[in-house]
Amino acid sequence: MSQHCHLKVAGTLHSSTPKGRSMLEILSPPPVNIVSVISQGIARENEVSSIARYDFAIVERDGEAFVGGITASISFAVLFINNIWVDGHARGRGVGRSLIAAAEAEGLRLGAETSCVDTLTTQAPAFYLRLGYLEFGRLEGWVEAKAVDRIWFKRQL
């Protein structure tokens, strides 16, 4: 049995299927509403399976100016640090360290026992090592003939 699908790439529809069949689309970058639908679908499935997940963000401001922020989630007693960003002018001032500390405190409050984060060798692996994180995985890669690895770190809270 052959499967047919539509593949929409950069606004062009490729392939053909009999009327009434589903269609696959590649959306890059993914629209916010699509990401939301997918995330909500996962959340509903997790509720049915009794898998608790708590998502949160912490931001640091200087008056009205946004200085930095972190997004994270807690599931299976693990704090997953998804994204951390500090504005260039505020780097080296302890903002990143305070964001991580605040996320870890929230994780502990909600029952997390371990914290995990991933980063690239071109980003901030030394930062996480200084905070007591230990490397537990690495995926080697290349970008424009330059070695760029993805590194996973964890730390007991």
Side-chain angles (χ1 to χ4, degrees), residues 21-43:
R21 295 280 186 145
S22 64
M23 180 178 80
L24 295 176
E25 292 181 86
I26 298 173
L27 305 169
S28 181
V32 174
N33 65 321
I34 297 295
V35 173
S36 179
V37 167
I38 293 168
S39 295
Q40 289 171 9
I42 291 169

Side-chain angles (χ1 to χ4, degrees), residues 90-148:
R91 292 185 184 158
R93 297 184 188 171
V95 175
R97 183 178 295 270
S98 69
L99 288 167
I100 294 284
E104 291 175 344
E106 180 70 355
L108 280 169
R109 185 182 78 76
L110 293 165
E113 300 169 1
T114 303
S115 177
C116 291
V117 64
D118 69 278
T119 190
L120 300 174
T121 51
T122 56
Q123 293 175 334
F127 170 74
Y128 296 106
L129 291 170
R130 285 193 304 272
L131 295 178
Y133 281 76
L134 302 173
E135 181 178 329
F136 72 93
R138 181 181 290 248
L139 182 62
E140 296 176 347
W142 294 86
V143 175
E144 298 176 2
K146 180 179 177 186
V148 179

Side-chain angles (χ1 to χ4, degrees), residues 74-92:
I74 299 166
S75 186
F76 298 106
V78 177
L79 167 67
F80 295 95
I81 297 172
N82 302 319
N83 294 295
I84 181 170
W85 173 81
V86 176
D87 192 41
H89 78 278
R91 292 185 184 158

